[in-house]
């Protein structure tokens, strides 16, 4: 009986050989189909070895995802609670394997002393019921005796999986101090926060789950800065989705959790990120920018801090600088659709369409059913001269995310058809305004569509309603007032026809952005 049944696509045999060699150096026996004897039936031998192995190690890649053999072997390992997964490239894992932790070996470089590789060895050792030996890497953090496979997967045994909003390095620091129960609850809370996507909040209910789990984690491990920082982040995300009347209490809880985290670890990135997320930039651009820069000086690579800085620069029309920060996102540790969407918009607004094209392809491959990626893809295609491609996507109903509503589809299709010359622009504008009446939060997106359809006057009317609560569209003013207002859509490329109009400059005067640029000595890209 082998300790490890190694499953991979035929094109990944080189990687399989390297993995097998390192595992054998650790004292484990490894079987994969390179070992097939000539006189035995292929499927019989595979089934025999698969059933007998202590663990099933799957090397996921684009080719492996497409292989029915690999999927079948992975499923057998999952059913028997013996599955260990690693990722070799950017392929999206098929269901249900995308619900389990997967070690990231994309930048592994065959080094046996990395945290990612050690987590693989730890998983194999736990399933084999013994520690590693020999000349290979010895795991520094083997799970305690009696830890179940479920606890190891959920509780952080695979340390190279994504940590919520900033990677998994926290586990190596915190794990020795925490009980298995605390580890499990903390990881589940961070996973819930990650799945919600703090940068593009879609599911308010999942923030409650994250808050409940991370609150429990702080009780079980009160000295864990990560638990307190995660809780601060969960409350900061929650603040974005609750009604204005509830925000003060959520804000206070986030700040209290952040304070507890930073007293334990002054560099705890989630706590710092939460405090930055709590600050609304509208009409507070200078102070917010200073705060973001100070936070980045203390923690220059933490992803959420890079995101908030990039986001602020977009709000003040400084896309070239915003792009510099989003270029620093580490997508291997920070794979969120909201981050990918931000990268696409920054590249687009900065004028680098080839790079935006490439990033859009990556995001669609990674998040094919995410509503924000879906909307961004349609807008990008429509407003960069490719409305026909947008219409092709709209014609494939199987590609629509389940969250997308029919009235949105009708409005976006009308705009795309008008831009493609298949419908009168005035008709498309009416459809967009009808959509807006039932969806006031889409005010800026509909204003962009009006500009693209040649009706700047309608766009200005929408903007006056949104920013100042004036005119026929005064109902578009956000319920939270300035706290909810944003300005980055004003400086995206589809608004270009408005930029040289006196009315646009007057709008910027009233908003306060002209004062910001004068006081900071900066120039927005659209004026260069």
């Amino acid at each position: 009986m082998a300790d490890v049944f190694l499953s991979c696509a035929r094109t990944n045999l080189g990687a399989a050989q390297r993995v097998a060699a390192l595992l054998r150096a650790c004292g484990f026996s490894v079987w994969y189909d390179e070992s097939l004897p000539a006189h035995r039936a292929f499927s019989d031998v595979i089934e025999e070895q698969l059933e007998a192995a202590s663990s099933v190690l799957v090397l996921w890649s684009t080719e492996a995802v497409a292989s029915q053999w690999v999927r079948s072997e992975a499923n057998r390992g999952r059913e028997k609670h013996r599955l260990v997964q690693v990722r070799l490239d950017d392929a999206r894992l098929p269901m249900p394997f995308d619900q389990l932790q997967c070690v990231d070996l994309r930048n592994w470089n065959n080094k046996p002393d990395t945290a990612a590789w050690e987590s693989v060895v730890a998983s194999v050792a736990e399933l084999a019921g013994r520690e590693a030996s020999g000349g290979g890497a010895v795991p520094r953090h083997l799970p305690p005796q009696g830890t179940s496979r479920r606890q190891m997967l959920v509780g952080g045994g695979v340390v190279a999986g994504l940590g919520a909003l900033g990677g998994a390095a926290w586990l190596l620091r915190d794990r020795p101090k925490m009980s298995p129960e605390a580890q499990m609850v903390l990881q589940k809370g961070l996973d819930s926060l990650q799945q919600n996507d703090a940068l593009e909040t879609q599911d308010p209910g999942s923030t409650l789950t994250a808050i409940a789990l991370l609150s429990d984690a702080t009780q079980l491990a009160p000295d864990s800065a990560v638990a307190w920082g995660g809780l601060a982040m969960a409350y900061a995300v929650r603040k974005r989705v609750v009604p204005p009347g509830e925000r003060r209490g959520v804000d206070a809880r986030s700040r209290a959790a952040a304070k507890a985290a930073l007293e334990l670890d002054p560099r705890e990135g989630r706590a710092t990120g939460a405090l930055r997320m709590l600050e609304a930039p509208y009409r507070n651009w200078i102070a917010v920018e200073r705060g973001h820069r100070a936070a980045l000086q203390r923690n220059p690579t933490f992803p959420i801090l890079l995101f908030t800085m990039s986001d602020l620069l977009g709000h003040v029309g400084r896309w070239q600088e915003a792009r510099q920060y989003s270029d620093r996102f580490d997508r291997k540790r920070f794979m969120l659709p909201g981050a990918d969407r931000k990268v696409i918009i920054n590249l687009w607004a900065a004028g680098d369409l080839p790079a935006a094209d490439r990033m859009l392809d990556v995001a669609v491959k990674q998040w094919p059913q995410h509503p924000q990626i879906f909307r961004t893809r349609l807008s990008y295609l429509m407003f960069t001269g490719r409305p026909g491609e947008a219409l092709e996507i709209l014609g494939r109903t199987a590609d629509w995310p389940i969250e997308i509503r029919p009235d949105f589809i009708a409005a976006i299709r009308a705009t795309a058809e008008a831009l493609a010359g298949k419908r009168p622009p005035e008709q498309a504008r009416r459809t967009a305004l009808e959509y807006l009446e039932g969806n006031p939060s889409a005010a800026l997106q509909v204003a962009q569509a009006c500009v693209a359809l040649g009706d700047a006057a309608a766009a200005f009317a929408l903007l006056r309603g949104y920013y100042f609560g004036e005119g026929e569209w005064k109902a578009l003013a956000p319920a939270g007032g300035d706290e909810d207002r944003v300005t980055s859509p004003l400086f995206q490329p589809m608004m270009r026809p408005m930029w040289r109009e006196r009315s646009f400059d007057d709008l910027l005067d009233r908003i306060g952005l002209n004062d910001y640029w004068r006081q900071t000595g900066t120039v927005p890209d659209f004026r260069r």
Side-chain angles (χ1 to χ4, degrees), residues 134 173 228:
R173 296 194 303 269
W228 286 108

Side-chain angles (χ1 to χ4, degrees), residues 64-186:
V65 168
S67 168
Q68 294 303 313
W69 276 106
V70 174
R71 289 194 185 209
S72 178
E73 291 162 0
N75 191 57
R76 190 69 60 90
R78 182 183 66 86
E79 289 174 345
K80 291 183 171 294
H81 308 291
R82 301 175 185 171
L83 179 63
V84 181
Q85 305 187 115
V86 303
R87 178 192 295 277
L88 300 179
D89 62 20
D90 293 332
R92 185 181 186 186
L93 271 61
M95 295 187 295
F97 308 106
D98 59 347
Q99 300 301 308
L100 299 174
Q101 290 283 4
C102 183
V103 178
D104 190 341
L105 293 187
R106 286 175 292 188
N107 288 332
W108 171 46
N109 295 326
N110 306 323
K111 295 179 180 178
D113 58 347
T114 63
W117 175 250
E118 290 185 3
S119 69
V120 175
V121 176
S123 298
V124 169
E126 196 270 344
L127 289 167
R130 67 177 190 275
E131 293 190 8
S133 62
V138 179
R140 288 174 288 185
H141 302 294
L142 213 60
Q145 290 294 325
T147 302
S148 70
R149 177 67 178 159
R150 172 66 178 169
Q151 286 175 315
M152 188 174 71
L153 284 173
V154 176
V158 182
V159 299
L162 290 173
L165 304 172
W170 63 268
L171 190 58
L172 296 178
R173 296 194 303 269
D174 264 41
R175 188 170 180 175
K177 308 173 188 176
M178 301 171 66
S179 68
E181 181 185 7
Q183 293 171 29
M184 180 176 66
V185 173
L186 174 56

Side-chain angles (χ1 to χ4, degrees), residues 184-252:
M184 180 176 66
V185 173
L186 174 56
Q187 187 64 52
K188 290 172 76 173
L190 293 175
D191 286 347
S192 179
L193 182 58
Q194 177 97 14
Q195 289 162 10
N196 183 70
D197 189 353
L199 308 184
E200 296 288 351
T201 306
Q202 296 294 309
D203 179 11
S206 69
T207 60
L208 292 175
T209 301
I211 287 169
L213 288 166
L214 292 166
S215 294
D216 287 346
T218 62
Q219 295 296 312
L220 292 166
D223 293 332
S224 169
V226 170
W228 286 108
L231 182 59
M233 181 65 69
Y235 275 122
V237 175
R238 179 74 180 162
K239 183 181 176 183
R240 294 186 169 197
V241 297
V242 298
E246 299 178 23
R247 293 179 186 174
R248 180 175 295 180
V250 176
D251 184 287

Side-chain angles (χ1 to χ4, degrees), residues 231-233 235-236 239 248-262 271 274-280:
L231 182 59
M233 181 65 69
Y235 275 122
K239 183 181 176 183
R248 180 175 295 180
V250 176
D251 184 287
R253 287 169 174 79
S254 180
R255 293 181 187 278
K259 181 175 183 290
L262 294 171
L275 294 175
R276 301 318 312 149
M277 288 175 63
L278 294 173
E279 300 296 329

